[in-house]
Amino acid sequence: MLLQQISELVQIAGDFAAKRRKVLSSNEIHTKSTDTDLVTDVDRDVEALIVEKLRELTPEYGIFGEETGKSNADAPYCWVIDPIDGTTSFVRDQPFYCVSIGLRHNGIGILGAVYAPKLGELFLAEAKKGATCNGETICVSKISDLRKAVVATGFSCIRAKRKFDNMAFLPQIARATCAFRRTGSAAIDLSYVAAGKLDAFWELGLQPYDIAAGEVIVREAGGIVTDLSGAAEYPQKGLLADNGAIHQNMLSFFRPETGIRFE
Ligand code: IPD
Ligand code: CA
Ligand code: CA
């Protein structure tokens, strides 16, 4: 029942965002932590729409939203919201953006919903019940040969001017794999790993709201999510999500011996 309600909510929110994009004006576009960290009035309005509905549906649950922060977030159940993941894509009218709503119970992801309105893709997952895309069951790929793997990443660490730089990992990984993608939405990248459209996604400097829904979708589709040392301290120590078959190969790119820091 709750998954159905969240499925409807994430679609309403995504379609609302896509409609507002048609009339987006430059005075609705702002910057946040740095001059390249964009946010729009639509991000804020989408989060307000989601929060109002979630408070109605589950008044006792906590909420942690990218734009409005934490409210009762220490409650056992907490919603984690990214109203528009891929805001730069949204601003430039590119299709790779989505609404992401995750639910955590005592910090563990148990439900995920990601809706990309311009791609027409709705990814849903609930703990122990599998993952779907547009109602069809999805599962990670079976690719075990790195040379055949298609991988994705992002560069929020550069935008956030963090002390570590994901670019340092890229040359070796790009040369060792079949192809590399950079969609601009971590939540879509995670959903694409779950659907077998990508075989691995990694990034440094992500926030809980970027990944709260996507990590549940990956796991329920048979994938693995760890930090870049293979432990569970993600996303603060980086994040690696993949089909499991290439997990050890991917972790090898982030070994301490490389001398490249990720935290
Ligand atoms: C960003 C996107 C991007 C990722 C950044 C995120 P936002 O989210 O997920 O792909 O590389 O780390 O911040 O800012 O568009 O919600
Ligand atoms: Ca995000
Ligand atoms: Ca966002």
Side-chain angles (χ1 to χ4, degrees):
M1 179 57 179
L2 187 57
L3 186 65
Q4 181 54 40
Q5 291 169 313
I6 300 307
S7 166
E8 288 163 13
L9 176 55
V10 79
Q11 292 178 80
I12 289 166
D15 292 340
F16 171 80
K19 200 166 164 206
R20 283 282 296 274
R21 178 59 193 75
K22 293 192 171 91
V23 292
L24 188 72
S25 67
S26 55
N27 58 17
E28 292 184 283
I29 303 168
H30 318 284
T31 55
K32 288 197 296 190
S33 56
T34 65
D35 59 347
T36 53
D37 183 9
L38 302 184
V39 63
T40 71
D41 292 353
V42 185
D43 293 73
R44 293 169 177 155
D45 293 348
V46 168
E47 185 159 318
L49 179 159
I50 293 170
V51 167
E52 183 186 2
K53 188 65 186 165
L54 291 178
R55 287 218 165 101
E56 223 178 86
L57 280 177
T58 54
E60 72 286 4
Y61 287 18
I63 291 180
F64 176 19
E66 177 177 3
E67 309 310 338
T68 52
K70 295 182 177 179
S71 153
N72 182 29
D74 293 336
Y77 289 93
C78 186
W79 295 105
V80 186
I81 307 161
D82 192 335
I84 298 180
D85 185 57
T87 296
T88 302
S89 300
F90 175 75
V91 166
R92 305 305 295 267
D93 206 14
Q94 298 168 0
F96 283 96
Y97 67 88
C98 65
V99 176
S100 174
I101 301 175
L103 177 60
R104 288 180 167 177
H105 180 235
N106 296 330
I108 307 293
I110 59 169
L111 181 150
V114 169
Y115 175 56
K118 300 305 282 183
L119 300 174
E121 291 177 318
L122 170 66
F123 297 91
L124 297 171
E126 205 167 359
K128 301 187 177 55
K129 295 184 181 172
T132 60
C133 176
N134 294 348
E136 299 291 321
T137 299
I138 54 175
C139 65
V140 294
S141 74
K142 302 262 183 300
I143 284 180
S144 55
D145 177 355
L146 215 47
R147 295 292 304 160
K148 295 189 171 68
V150 179
V151 300
T153 190
F155 298 99
S156 62
C157 52
I158 296 177
R159 184 175 80 184
K161 299 184 173 44
R162 307 293 285 266
K163 54 185 182 299
F164 40 74
D165 180 357
N166 190 24
M167 289 298 276
F169 297 108
L170 191 53
Q172 201 190 2
I173 296 174
R175 290 193 186 98
T177 52
C178 171
F180 148 72
R181 294 288 180 269
R182 196 288 191 247
T183 68
S185 165
I188 290 176
D189 292 330
L190 288 164
S191 301
Y192 274 22
V193 169
K197 295 179 178 200
L198 289 171
D199 306 303
F201 164 69
W202 85 95
E203 190 163 345
L204 289 65
L206 289 171
Q207 297 298 324
Y209 37 75
D210 295 312
I211 62 143
E215 68 162 320
V216 181
I217 297 167
V218 169
R219 276 219 189 82
E220 287 301 315
I224 290 186
V225 183
T226 69
D227 64 33
L228 294 179
S229 67
E233 295 185 70
Y234 63 85
Q236 59 277 25
K237 291 193 175 180
L239 176 137
L240 172 63
D242 56 53
N243 66 5
I246 60 171
H247 193 62
Q248 291 308 319
N249 300 57
M250 288 301 295
L251 283 177
S252 70
F253 294 114
F254 307 101
R255 286 191 322 273
E257 302 86 278
T258 63
I260 309 169
R261 296 176 57 195
F262 53 75
E263 56 172 316

